[in-house]
Amino acid sequence: MLCKRLIPCLDVRDGQVVKGVKFAGHVVMGDIVDLAQRYRDAGADELVFYDIKASTVGGVVERSWISRIAELLDIPFCVAGGIHSVDSARAVLAAGADKVSVNSKALERPELIGEIARSIGNQSVVVGIDSQWIDGDWFVFQYTGSSKTMRHTGRRTVDWVREVEQRGAGEIVLNCMDQDGVRAGYDLDQLRAVRAATSLPLIASGGAGTTQHFVEVFQRADVDGALAAGVFHSGDLTIAAVKDALRLAGLEVRL
């Protein structure tokens, strides 16, 4: 059995870590290097960095902070935001990241997924999917780094999940927008629907508030990893406490 992964998520804007609720109202949570070190020492399995500014203004992710983070970490980390081409993906990996994540640009041009996968290997290609319940189904949104740029794509989430797997993605992060930042638990119904639609590793995002929420998402939605931000940044939960709860529930985790 593969170990279940706990993945703190750090939304980055101008070198600072920020956090919002339902993708809006971002406030500064701390310095990117300080938080990365904290999570490394706390036992995180991976880290994800989302450059929310690059993703909304069409910019390129700033590689200087990636290099600084790579010097500190001995765990894998993924970078999202501003990945718009094979060259930009390769540059992020060259700066020290282990994976790149694409989202809005892949929705604009789905061929991008396959192009990057063929260049760097699909094991390093993550597709982030921002999804919300609208009119009786889950639909994909793009440019969600700001409420001013957010856009409804008209794509059904499950359809897009199947397509990104066919195009060569190596992993999916499902960002359940209605749960983002509210700490009421992961969207188990949506995660189960996506789990049934793909064989790719699936990472749950949005809704973590208690250790039981993590236990439930692994047991009831069969995800491979759980991503969380605010509940870890605030110190209300620790990686150690969550892993203790997972072990007590009979789930395999990395010590």
Side-chain angles (χ1 to χ4, degrees):
M1 179 186 296
L2 292 176
C3 289
K4 301 299 187 181
R5 290 178 277 157
L6 292 183
I7 308 171
C9 172
L10 295 85
D11 290 341
V12 180
R13 186 176 61 196
D14 297 325
Q16 295 286 312
V17 177
V18 299
K19 184 68 183 83
V21 175
K22 295 187 178 181
F23 292 66
H26 293 92
V27 296
V28 174
M29 302 299 295
D31 178 75
I32 186 172
V33 171
D34 291 342
L35 280 171
Q37 288 178 311
R38 172 177 140 191
Y39 288 129
R40 175 201 64 190
D41 296 341
D45 298 300
E46 297 180 21
L47 294 179
V48 174
F49 298 90
Y50 283 98
D51 189 324
I52 62 173
K53 184 175 181 180
S55 68
T56 55
V57 302
V60 177
V61 63
E62 175 55 55
R63 294 195 294 276
S64 62
W65 65 258
I66 300 175
S67 298
R68 285 192 293 145
I69 295 300
E71 292 175 357
L72 296 171
L73 296 184
D74 55 1
I75 57 174
F77 73 97
C78 176
V79 173
I83 311 295
H84 58 269
S85 66
V86 170
D87 287 344
S88 60
R90 292 175 68 88
V92 167
L93 293 186
D98 299 278
K99 302 177 185 177
V100 297
S101 180
V102 293
N103 187 329
S104 297
K105 294 299 183 182
L107 285 159
E108 286 187 359
R109 197 172 67 84
E111 296 84 359
L112 178 64
I113 299 169
E115 291 169 0
I116 296 176
R118 287 189 294 273
S119 175
I120 68 174
N122 62 358
Q123 76 283 349
S124 296
V125 181
V126 180
V127 174
I129 300 177
D130 299 328
S131 177
Q132 190 171 36
W133 181 261
I134 301 286
D135 297 329
D137 208 340
W138 292 290
F139 286 91
V140 181
F141 283 70
Q142 64 185 146
Y143 298 114
T144 58
S146 166
S147 58
K148 295 178 181 179
T149 59
M150 193 181 303
R151 184 184 307 165
H152 189 324
T153 67
R155 288 179 178 266
R156 291 177 66 249
T157 300
V158 170
D159 292 342
W160 181 232
V161 164
R162 293 187 177 117
E163 182 174 345
V164 302
E165 179 170 8
Q166 293 170 354
R167 289 186 177 276
E171 184 170 279
I172 291 172
V173 175
L174 183 68
N175 305 308
C176 300
M177 295 172 64
D178 290 322
Q179 273 65 38
D180 181 68
V182 301
R183 303 192 188 185
Y186 291 95
D187 188 340
L188 300 179
D189 289 340
Q190 182 172 189
L191 287 161
R192 281 193 291 256
V194 169
R195 175 74 288 164
T198 181
S199 61
L200 291 178
L202 175 62
I203 309 301
S205 174
T210 68
T211 57
Q212 187 59 28
H213 291 155
F214 288 92
V215 172
E216 289 175 350
V217 76
F218 286 121
Q219 288 185 333
R220 298 173 57 188
D222 192 28
V223 298
D224 300 275
L227 185 150
V231 72
F232 287 146
H233 296 339
S234 66
D236 292 338
L237 282 184
T238 65
I239 302 291
V242 176
K243 287 194 172 184
D244 285 344
L246 296 177
R247 279 194 293 269
L248 285 172
L251 293 159
E252 294 286 336
V253 294
R254 183 179 67 87
L255 297 176

